Amino acid sequence: MQTLTRKAPPAYVIEDAVSEHDTLEVTAEALQGLLKTVEAALPPGMLRALHGESLGHPVHPVLVHLPLGGWLMAAALDYLPADTPGGHDRAADLALTLGTAGAVGTIATGWLDWSNARGQARRTGLVHGALNETAFLLNVASLVARRRDRRRLGRLLSGAGLALSLAGGFLGGELVYRHGLGVGRTMQHPQG
């Protein structure tokens, strides 16, 4: 009789390859200590609002749609054929600006939600955050390049930022669906 061995889903294999590193654990431990210091300095009402307690679930997943939507729309407008040269430039710049501005709250709430994560979820969350903060910085640089009439560079920077944010989003999905981060009413307790 043959024994069937079940292979790990591809998403698990990718996450494991990304997050199973001792250096990530050390870095995550230090960063969580800093975040706890920041949390202690915030007024309790603000902390509850940032964690989404009045909503009954984290705010971060709600806010994620603004940067991703803005960055996706900017990419579409950057490469959509136009009747005139640069016909979609203003709209692309506006979408990129709105998405990048919206990322500020998304980043803040994401780090606060992550501050209680443990184990592999903590390491994965660190990589998730690093990818998305890098995407944010690339989009800020893209906005600067666009304002200096360096549109090609601006498009390349925002395109790279979008790619990183999609990779970060993949890991964010793992945090929720594999590790249960932010699921239920567990935001005040260690997760992962």
Side-chain angles (χ1 to χ4, degrees):
M1 174 183 233
Q2 279 187 328
T3 319
L4 294 176
T5 55
R6 194 173 270 210
K7 291 174 91 174
Y12 288 18
V13 172
I14 293 168
E15 181 195 0
D16 292 349
V18 166
S19 67
E20 292 300 324
H21 303 284
D22 292 339
T23 304
L24 288 175
E25 187 64 31
V26 172
T27 305
E29 181 82 27
L31 186 55
Q32 278 187 334
L34 290 172
L35 284 173
K36 291 298 181 188
T37 302
V38 170
E39 285 180 350
L42 294 175
M46 177 186 280
L47 194 56
R48 284 192 301 274
L50 289 170
H51 277 298
E53 288 183 24
S54 62
L55 294 174
H57 66 79
V59 176
H60 178 72
V62 175
L63 296 179
V64 162
H65 296 85
L66 185 55
L68 269 182
W71 296 344
L72 280 167
M73 184 58 68
L77 290 165
D78 275 341
Y79 295 102
L80 191 67
D83 292 336
T84 60
H88 301 299
D89 289 353
R90 284 190 65 209
D93 293 355
L94 179 60
L96 187 64
T97 300
L98 291 173
T100 304
V104 174
T106 307
I107 291 167
T109 57
W111 282 120
L112 287 175
D113 289 348
W114 173 81
S115 69
N116 287 318
R118 297 287 177 259
Q120 184 176 19
R122 175 165 70 173
R123 294 185 303 274
T124 298
L126 180 62
V127 176
H128 164 76
L131 287 170
N132 285 305
E133 274 63 283
T134 304
F136 169 77
L137 294 173
L138 286 168
N139 282 303
V140 168
S142 174
L143 287 168
V144 170
R146 290 164 189 259
R147 286 196 171 86
R148 293 181 177 166
D149 284 328
R150 299 189 65 201
R151 295 214 64 83
R152 181 182 160 104
L153 175 61
R155 287 179 177 142
L156 289 172
L157 290 167
S158 61
L162 180 59
L164 288 180
S165 70
L166 293 174
F170 168 82
L171 292 175
E174 287 300 286
L175 291 170
V176 173
Y177 296 111
R178 183 178 184 186
H179 300 288
L181 225 65
V183 175
R185 302 179 65 78
T186 61
M187 291 180 285
Q188 295 178 356
H189 306 289
Q191 301 177 33

